[in-house]
Amino acid sequence: MRILYINHYAGSPQHGMEFRPYYLAREWVKAGHEVQIVAADYSHLRQHNPQLDSNYADQDIDGIRYTWCRTPRYEGNGLKRVINIFRFLGRVMGLSGRYLKSWRPDVVIASSTYPLDTVPAAFIAGKTGARLVYEVHDLWPLTPVEVGGMSPRHPFIRLLQWAENFGYRKADTVVSMLPCARDYMMAHGMAAEKYRVIPNGVDVAEWQGASEALPAQHREALAALRAQKRFIVGYAGGHGLANALDFLLDAATQLGDAPVSVVLVGDGPDKAALQARAQQLGLGQLQFLPAIAKRAVPAFLAECDALFIGWRKLPIYRFGINPNKLFDYMMAGKPVIHSVEAGNDIVAEAGAGISVAAEDAAAIAGALRRMAALTPNARGRMGAAGKAFVLAHHDYAVLARRFLQGL
């Protein structure tokens, strides 16, 4: 089978996020399929963007043919990002002759975060007789409206809404990463039988391979806490508003003399403010450590007794959440403290830890104390349940097979 995967922000191990298109495509290549990914050369998500001397460049990465499309740089979510989007869409249309003549796909996947790529994807699928798949990451334009505060009457939002509805009507299959979005999608034109949930996942082989050692600073900090017989709660990831770490700080103020230490590893726009606030509050039980390489994350998680992930209380989460960080936590076999209000709760479903309300510092503090009071065997059972759940439901080898079934 020939699979054309259109994803504006697709990444790879060489370039950085986002990884889902790479992991799925790699599994399809292993199964004998031909896969071509079309992506923009500039994405705000990647650590390293490809450098192009012309409008297009092809690159082979682990048997996947990437076609990079030259687009202008941008910062933030203003006009320059919109220009970047439309330039990419134009480049995809410019490639359509290749797919109509020399490499005719059997499946075309429209997978950019925004829904406008459904239009060139539908054009290529219609001309080649390929099946059209609309893969939905976030609900656009609902996310820019509810989270970003944009007006539903804004011309760009109206255009996005038209494109989303077009995708639901036109696609043969709608693959949703959000497990609770079926009714919303049906209200916007999707037939019920089109709906498939294929969540995010984890590369199990990557986890089972040799991990990178922790930097000396991190090893020494964790060893010192161990020597003091502290219960270590870890956090690995971005230090941004969406991660609700300010409520974790508030929770720490309520721990009293409980022998619990929280170690936060990562970087982000709010890290300096969080550090300043922790110092102001006198939170000696919190430590902020620098970001580490992706391959060193398993080594950090292994040194923790439990792990924390938190969410803002946002209405958009009613359609479900799909956090890659959580799958890493569960693969580490560690119990999870989950502060959440959403349409689904993977931690509760798997029996992998303690779930409490979002934006509730008292509840988070209570969960920290309860987790520390459990026996190592009880925490071990939670961690084992989480890992088993990920292996059964979120291994990319499993997800890739499920994606193609019935297409």
Side-chain angles (χ1 to χ4, degrees):
M1 185 184 295
R2 289 180 168 181
I3 303 168
L4 175 61
Y5 205 149
I6 302 170
N7 185 303
H8 188 130
Y9 306 104
S12 77
Q14 298 178 23
H15 303 94
M17 291 177 61
E18 65 183 59
F19 293 110
R20 176 184 172 99
Y22 165 80
Y23 285 134
L24 289 173
R26 190 185 62 179
E27 294 300 325
W28 294 332
V29 168
K30 287 180 183 176
H33 303 292
E34 295 180 43
V35 186
Q36 294 195 12
I37 291 177
V38 179
D41 68 332
Y42 181 78
S43 164
H44 64 285
L45 298 173
R46 301 190 198 109
Q47 285 91 8
H48 306 286
N49 282 298
Q51 301 299 311
L52 269 61
D53 296 322
S54 58
N55 289 338
Y56 303 100
D58 293 324
Q59 181 181 9
D60 184 278
I61 301 176
D62 297 329
I64 308 160
R65 180 177 180 176
Y66 280 72
T67 298
W68 304 108
C69 303
R70 186 158 64 179
T71 57
R73 294 177 62 89
Y74 61 89
E75 291 183 10
N77 293 316
L79 178 61
K80 287 187 177 181
R81 185 174 181 186
V82 175
I83 293 171
N84 174 278
I85 288 172
F86 280 101
R87 182 65 59 83
F88 174 70
L89 297 171
R91 299 288 190 218
V92 176
M93 287 302 296
L95 284 170
S96 60
R98 173 191 292 185
Y99 306 118
L100 272 56
K101 298 175 183 177
S102 60
W103 195 86
R104 294 173 68 88
D106 301 297
V107 176
V108 179
I109 305 169
S111 179
S112 302
T113 305
Y114 56 83
L116 292 167
D117 66 346
T118 57
V119 177
F123 174 80
I124 295 169
K127 291 292 185 179
T128 59
R131 292 189 63 80
L132 177 63
V133 178
Y134 177 24
E135 184 178 45
V136 181
H137 298 237
D138 300 318
L139 295 175
W140 277 45
L142 194 63
T143 298
V145 170
E146 290 195 357
V147 180
M150 292 187 71
S151 169
R153 297 183 179 87
H154 190 285
F156 186 58
I157 294 297
R158 288 177 179 270
L159 177 63
L160 291 175
Q161 189 61 73
W162 174 85
E164 183 187 34
N165 296 352
F166 173 83
Y168 292 143
R169 294 194 311 270
K170 195 73 174 176
D172 297 294
T173 301
V174 176
V175 168
S176 174
M177 300 181 203
L178 306 173
C180 308
R182 181 175 176 269
D183 290 346
Y184 169 88
M185 293 176 177
M186 289 178 62
H188 286 271
M190 181 192 75
E193 64 272 13
K194 295 181 180 181
Y195 185 69
R196 304 264 311 279
V197 176
I198 307 292
N200 281 327
V202 68
D203 179 9
V204 172
E206 192 174 274
W207 262 90
Q208 293 173 340
S211 66
E212 186 176 315
L214 280 173
Q217 179 183 357
H218 298 68
R219 292 199 309 271
E220 292 165 5
L222 292 165
L225 293 175
R226 285 267 174 242
Q228 298 167 30
K229 301 189 183 304
R230 306 287 293 183
F231 183 82
I232 301 173
V233 177
Y235 172 85
H239 291 41
L241 185 66
N243 306 112
L245 296 179
D246 48 342
F247 291 94
L248 180 59
L249 266 63
D250 290 340
T253 66
Q254 303 177 35
L255 290 176
D257 59 357
V260 176
S261 288
V262 180
V263 180
L264 300 99
V265 170
D267 207 347
D270 296 319
K271 182 169 183 174
L274 289 165
Q275 287 176 302
R277 186 157 179 263
Q279 186 174 11
Q280 181 184 16
L281 294 170
L283 295 176
Q285 64 268 60
L286 259 76
Q287 289 197 36
F288 291 86
L289 295 174
I292 56 178
K294 186 172 184 283
R295 290 184 61 81
V297 170
F300 168 67
L301 301 181
E303 292 295 324
C304 300
D305 298 300
L307 303 166
F308 173 82
I309 180 171
W311 299 82
R312 291 283 167 186
K313 195 182 293 185
L314 296 176
I316 198 71
Y317 294 149
R318 66 191 180 275
F319 299 107
I321 53 176
N322 226 325
N324 288 314
K325 182 194 293 103
L326 181 54
F327 303 139
D328 285 339
Y329 282 9
M330 294 165 77
M331 276 298 295
K334 299 292 180 175
V336 179
I337 296 166
H338 196 201
S339 175
V340 64
E341 183 175 307
N344 65 318
D345 180 353
I346 297 170
V347 171
E349 186 179 349
I354 298 173
S355 294
V356 295
E359 299 189 3
D360 190 332
I364 295 169
L368 292 169
R369 286 192 293 267
R370 284 160 52 202
M371 187 67 80
L374 292 174
T375 65
N377 282 343
R379 291 195 297 269
R381 287 193 292 272
M382 288 179 174
K387 185 171 183 177
F389 187 89
V390 171
L391 291 173
H393 302 287
H394 294 280
D395 178 353
Y396 268 118
V398 175
L399 296 175
R401 289 195 297 270
R402 282 179 48 201
F403 195 112
L404 297 186
Q405 285 172 357
L407 289 185

